[in-house]
Amino acid sequence: MPLETFKATAHLQKGTLVKAKSRNFELTIDEPKSLGGTDEGMNPVEMVLCALGACQAIVASVYAGKFKIDLKDFWVEVEGDLDTDGFMNKSDVRRGYSDIRYNIHIKTDAPRETVEEFVDFIERTCPVGDTISNPVHVQLNKIIIED
């Protein structure tokens, strides 16, 4: 399959409220009141956790048949540790997550060994997990000053 480029825009509205768009979908993103926002949506780092759990769930759905697993139910609990003093420039600590942990809940009749192989496959295959686990080249293309 060829390289596919995904695109998104994030447009600041007022304060910390952002409207993010990709394809024909829009999300409201904001900070909690404790971080200066109005709490009208998840913040970006919460969305990272959601993206990881959702990606793992999608991989599970797409590949369950390959492992002969009948998914009766599947969900992921995700949590991460982030020192907000970094974001608030109060101390010289990492701005992003230092640790992310998750629990995969699966309801199936498949044997435990098969489920463990399946979960190992999910972890290796999830693009979001790969993106946040490995260095990614991120660069600013250009600054465009609008009239």
Side-chain angles (χ1 to χ4, degrees), residues 15-143:
T16 61
L17 185 71
V18 174
K19 295 291 184 180
K21 295 180 181 178
S22 185
R23 295 186 288 136
N24 296 317
F25 303 97
E26 182 177 275
L27 295 171
T28 298
I29 303 167
D30 197 3
E31 289 292 334
K33 290 180 181 178
S34 64
L35 293 175
T38 56
D39 204 25
E40 292 186 43
M42 285 186 270
N43 70 18
V45 293
E46 291 166 327
M47 293 185 70
V48 168
L49 299 178
C50 289
L52 176 60
C55 189
Q56 290 174 334
I58 290 168
V59 172
S61 176
V62 169
Y63 287 99
K66 177 181 176 184
F67 286 82
K68 296 182 175 65
I69 291 181
D70 176 23
L71 289 180
K72 295 177 180 14
D73 202 359
F74 185 96
W75 72 96
V76 184
E77 294 174 299
V78 189
E79 64 182 12
D81 300 326
L82 187 143
D83 188 335
T84 57
D85 279 354
F87 167 68
M88 301 302 283
N89 285 315
K90 292 181 178 178
S91 68
D92 189 25
V93 296
R94 181 182 174 145
R95 273 107 172 114
Y97 284 112
S98 58
D99 291 284
I100 295 175
R101 297 168 299 281
Y102 55 92
N103 296 317
I104 292 178
H105 297 257
I106 184 168
K107 186 174 182 180
T108 184
D109 295 332
R112 181 164 197 78
E113 182 178 302
T114 303
V115 171
E116 288 174 353
E117 290 172 11
F118 181 51
V119 169
D120 184 56
F121 176 82
I122 291 168
E123 290 181 299
R124 288 191 323 269
T125 306
C126 172
V128 174
D130 178 75
T131 299
I132 62 179
S133 296
N134 297 294
V136 175
H137 179 72
V138 179
Q139 74 178 37
L140 171 66
N141 281 333
K142 56 186 161 183
I143 298 171

